[in-house]
Amino acid sequence: MRQINFVIIFVICLALVLFGIENTEPAVIHIVKGIQLQAPLSIELILAMGIGAVLAWVFSVWTSVQKLLETSKEIRVKDTRIQQLEEDIERYRAEIQEQQRLLPASQQTTEESEAEVITAQ
């Protein structure tokens, strides 16, 4: 992926240099009423591309921050759910242990009643 990005950036820069070589005559940019800037067209293009690149970078960082905030919120919700499930597991383990303690007592009475039935016969 880095190689593809490098090729794309290289082609854009090469096109910008070739455009700059061909367009050296001054051009006027009207920024605000009464304020104008006069510079070679290639310099103006380089400035416009630089400003565009900076704005794209700022937008990329902003998008990353938003995703990070959303992800951290989802992680907090999932952590809360994990804690609830772990508490449920502990509660179920305690219930199972309690039932297992009661279970051998009932098995002994069943075995004793079976033994009584066999001896009675």
Side-chain angles (χ1 to χ4, degrees):
M1 191 65 182
R2 289 181 184 227
Q3 294 172 345
I4 293 172
N5 287 343
F6 176 76
V7 169
I8 291 171
I9 292 171
F10 180 76
V11 168
I12 290 172
C13 289
L14 184 63
L16 189 62
V17 168
L18 293 175
F19 182 82
I21 291 171
E22 294 294 323
N23 296 293
T24 57
E25 57 274 344
V28 177
I29 296 178
H30 299 281
I31 298 174
V32 187
K33 189 173 186 175
I35 299 176
Q36 56 187 359
L37 175 69
Q38 185 173 359
L41 187 58
S42 59
I43 300 297
E44 293 173 0
L45 180 65
I46 290 171
L47 287 174
M49 288 186 70
I51 291 170
V54 169
L55 290 176
W57 176 77
V58 167
F59 179 74
S60 173
V61 169
W62 177 251
T63 304
S64 298
V65 168
Q66 285 180 329
K67 285 182 182 179
L68 181 67
L69 291 175
E70 289 174 7
T71 304
S72 65
K73 182 179 177 183
E74 290 175 8
I75 289 173
R76 282 194 305 268
V77 168
K78 288 182 181 181
D79 283 343
T80 303
R81 181 67 179 144
I82 288 171
Q83 282 182 329
Q84 291 172 350
L85 292 173
E86 287 175 346
E87 290 170 2
D88 288 346
I89 289 172
E90 290 301 319
R91 191 177 73 241
Y92 293 144
R93 282 186 183 154
E95 288 177 10
I96 288 173
Q97 288 175 355
E98 182 66 30
Q99 289 176 357
Q100 285 178 345
R101 273 190 271 146
L102 298 174
L103 187 60
S106 65
Q107 284 180 346
Q108 288 176 356
T109 56
T110 311
E111 290 174 2
E112 289 173 3
S113 61
E114 287 178 2
E116 289 174 3
V117 170
I118 292 174
T119 55
Q121 293 177 354

